[in-house]
Amino acid sequence: MTTNKRGFIQSVWDFFCSLKLSISLLIGLAATSIIGTVIPQSPPREYLESISQTKIALYSKLGFFDMYHSWWFILLLYLLTLNLICCSIKRLPRVWKFVSEPTLIFDEGLEKTLSLTHHFKMEGDAASLKDKMAAFLKGEFAEPVITEVNGEYHLFAQRTPYCRLGVYVVHFSIIIIFIGALIGSYFGYKGYAQIEEGTSVSTIENRNGRQTDLGFAVKCEKFSVTFYDTGAPKEFKSILTVLENGQPVPGFISIPIVVNSPLTYKGITFYQSSYGPAGMFQITVRDRKGGAPVKLAVRQGEKTPLPNGGFFQLLETTADVSPFMPQLSGPALRGTYMGPDGTSQQVVLLRNYPNFDLQRGGDLVMTYDGSEEKYYTGLQVAKDPGVWVVWTGCALMVLGIIIAFFLSHKRVWIRTANGRVIFGGTANKNQAAFQLVFDTLTDKLKQM
Amino acid sequence: MTSSLLFNVTTFTYLVSMLIFFTFLATKNKTIGIVASCAAYFGFVAQTVAIVLRWKESYAAGVGHAPLTNLYESVIFFSWTIILIYGIIELKYKYRVVGAFVVPFALLGMAWAQLGLESHIEPLVPALQSNWLLYHVITCFLGYAAFAVACGISIMYLIKESMEGASGDAQAGGIIAQFPSIRVLDDLNYKAIMIGFPLLTLGIITGAAWANYAWGTYWSWDPKETWSLIVWFIYAAFLHARITRGWVGRRAAILSVVGFAATIFCYLGVNLFLSGLHSYGAGR
Ligand code: HEM
């Protein structure tokens, strides 16, 4: 029974140490990751309406709408980590031993395993040749370790033995990155803040819809946007001030932020992400058949009651209409007119063309008189205390990969006997390059 | 001289180089091989000058940015990096014939860019105004190019292996005999991926760093990001396959081809087939 149990534990251990499992997990992760790029994550309502109920039920059950956080995907990542740890526990001590206790004795058994060896005839006895060879290796390669066995001397020298640990640095870095990601998800948050020019906020809306208190306030002093001649946006800029207890914090007063240049205060970073009009737009409404014009102030998104019992809802505005209506220019707005009878109609108003709305042919005629130049700025807000852990992991990973791929552990041995010298060497990577090193050393030995 | 004229010269030279490479395959004449790679290098120089010119032209047009920002520019840069990596591998390992399977990729890129893509120099939208763009694009594309070279080599491997059998004792005749031995091809494949993998890793990291700097999240499982990770997983699997019995050779070559197919999907497919589901960095 106990041997059975042992056998079972042993095979579980072997399973988690195996490279076949690693390959399967890596390919499995690659294959399953595709799902989330094809099925929208946190899908919008329009998408859900476009697919069948059975599909929705199935996808929700399998976690496909938030695939990368589904239990089975996280499980794959944990399995990968476990695989990595087990494999390292199994192999690292061996590699360590290999590096710290190298084979010092260059016997014939070892000689047979090396593809690069050379025999020389030389004047002198074993001891004097040993001194000569030791000086040679020290000068040309690396300081040797000398062992005497039965009157023969074995010299061993190596270069960059620690590069064998490079892959473990890579593997360790993966675990560090995971730890960084976990720190971020437990102790950080992501959110969004919308601040009108001249106002401030002290709470933000979290990704999962909750309000988070910042512990201080951020004021948007000013927002500006500039455009290229083509009409494409060139720069969005917010001027922000941090307030503690209503007082501006020195060093954080009127700081400009643009896309790609955020502001960080107390570990919380504010990123320029969007903007929109926040001011009031003045429109005038009059009856087509005559009557006194009525001035109204409307705001984006809101339904404004009209004198005839209908409503006007402002949808979007622009400072220059020419990209949309090439022959025209100047500020414009677009909205929906909802008549008292329940009909609705799209309305476009141009400030430079007050009679434009006459063409619509409605009972009410509207004009766009101007706007208060005022914006809100949309900021992404993030707190992620794990991010430096992640960057440390990334740096280690790059370092580890470079060590693992581009350095090699080069080892050479020399055995001296009376009148004879035997030279051999090997490298764990890039044998071709090592052969050049070996040949150069051989040539130098020949000339001695 | 304008950049577009020089790009035409480049495309034409790559076409000529490819044809000479095919002749080289058929005739096994060493001199023809040298002429073929010289043609490729000449095209490379012309292309380098053209890219620099386009950079200057963008300043003259008042928008001033590195020529790496739209599909046209990136396809051209991709084909440039392919020849660069091919050159490194050819000069270092002296297997000229690999060019016959690599230059066509570069030619394909140039031809597509010139015949099918909009070449207008556009100003940079705010999200792209960052030096990270440069680091990110250059590292990614060098990585992609190394994978393209590895894919070319793997195709040679698969052709040669299916003719000769895995042991390589049955010698195939004709053109195939010109290929390096399957052991060498297997090794070259690995070497190309050893160049590509660190570069892709750096590309993903610089991309994450940039995203973090611009939007506050280093990873958001955006399709493009995810696909770059898929590619990374495939090549990581390849690296481990290399040290596992039973996975060396044929399966490793297949993984390398699959990896490059995923690379191309990451680069082009994501924008063509998956766009509209997520918009990159559009705020909320
Ligand atoms: C499931 C988890 C993993 C396990 C169990 C694992 C295991 C191993 C083992 C045993 C080696 C060989 C070490 C040696 O030669 O002594 C290795 C090499 C390597 N691993 Fe992993 N690995 C895993 C995941 C990864 C991942 C995700 C990467 C991504 C960067 C990676 C990168 C490398 C590299 C670059 C090498 C060196 C390959 C070479 O020298 O050709 N490993 N891995």
Side-chain angles (χ1 to χ4, degrees), chain A residues 16-19 21-23 25-26 29 76 79-88 91 95 164 166-168 170-171 173-174 397 400-401 404-405 428-429, chain B residues 190 194 197 201 232-233 235-240 242-243:
Chain A
F16 279 111
C17 288
S18 81
L19 265 172
L21 177 66
S22 325
I23 298 174
L25 283 172
L26 288 167
L29 280 167
L76 282 180
L79 280 178
L80 186 84
T81 314
L82 194 64
N83 187 196
L84 210 50
I85 293 172
C86 292
C87 203
S88 301
R91 296 191 185 222
V95 173
R164 288 196 185 255
V167 294
Y168 297 94
V170 178
H171 292 154
S173 75
I174 294 173
M397 177 177 289
I401 291 179
F405 283 177
N428 69 330
K429 285 255 155 179
Chain B
Y190 177 54
M194 254 176 25
F197 191 75
T201 307
W232 192 76
F233 282 143
Y235 286 106
F238 171 91
L239 290 174
H240 294 89
R242 287 262 327 170
I243 45 179

Side-chain angles (χ1 to χ4, degrees), chain A residues 1-40:
Chain A
M1 200 58 213
T2 41
T3 47
N4 247 344
K5 213 167 168 187
R6 251 251 188 80
F8 176 71
I9 292 175
Q10 184 64 39
S11 56
V12 169
W13 173 250
D14 286 345
F15 174 74
F16 279 111
C17 288
S18 81
L19 265 172
K20 291 229 164 68
L21 177 66
S22 325
I23 298 174
S24 315
L25 283 172
L26 288 167
I27 294 179
L29 280 167
T32 52
S33 294
I34 297 175
I35 298 171
T37 67
V38 177
I39 296 174

